[in-house]
Amino acid sequence: MARPSMGTVALVLLLAWCCAVTTVRATEWIVGGDKGWTFGIAGWENDKPIQPGDKLVFKYEPGAHNVVKVEVDGYMECKAPDGATVHSSGNDTFEMPGGKAYFICTFPGHCEKGMRIGIPPR
């Protein structure tokens, strides 16, 4: 059986290191901090260095609010599209994708009162 070349060994080690660094760097963000997912939260995200792979945790009283991931139009209009997945556990977690991500509460009037965030790409 042939021995792997130094180049192959180096590539495997580099890939293993990259995977370890990605795992270590992920951060869990409680949306709204100590207040949680509530009214007036819009803008909370502006000074946070949220990266792809980080987790956003929406904490709130079940039955009082919900969380729906939407596109920019849904964010601007405070409206989720038909068939959107509505999360309502009070402890909902989303992994940040690459690019922008938008979240709203679809209870009547809640989004309009600031229960929405738009996470910019980093």
Side-chain angles (χ1 to χ4, degrees):
M1 180 175 256
R3 292 178 48 171
S5 70
M6 287 300 285
T8 301
V9 171
L11 179 61
V12 169
L13 290 174
L14 178 63
L15 288 172
W17 179 81
C18 287
C19 291
V21 168
T22 300
T23 302
V24 171
R25 289 182 47 191
T27 300
E28 185 173 284
W29 298 91
I30 306 300
V31 175
D34 293 340
K35 295 190 319 185
W37 180 234
T38 190
F39 298 108
I41 210 69
W44 164 86
E45 68 279 13
N46 291 340
D47 63 347
K48 310 295 185 287
I50 299 169
Q51 301 290 321
D54 285 357
K55 303 222 184 299
L56 299 179
V57 182
F58 292 79
K59 293 187 179 239
Y60 55 93
E61 185 68 35
H65 305 295
N66 64 30
V67 183
V68 179
K69 187 172 185 214
V70 296
E71 297 297 325
V72 66
D73 290 343
Y75 174 82
M76 298 304 290
E77 298 169 10
C78 285
K79 185 176 185 329
D82 292 338
T85 302
V86 178
H87 301 267
S88 57
S89 73
N91 190 27
D92 304 308
T93 301
F94 297 83
E95 184 171 329
M96 276 301 298
K100 197 144 176 107
Y102 301 92
F103 302 90
I104 65 172
C105 178
T106 61
F107 277 43
H110 289 203
C111 178
E112 292 83 355
K113 292 179 183 170
M115 286 194 74
R116 61 181 171 176
I117 60 171
I119 309 293
R122 305 280 187 214

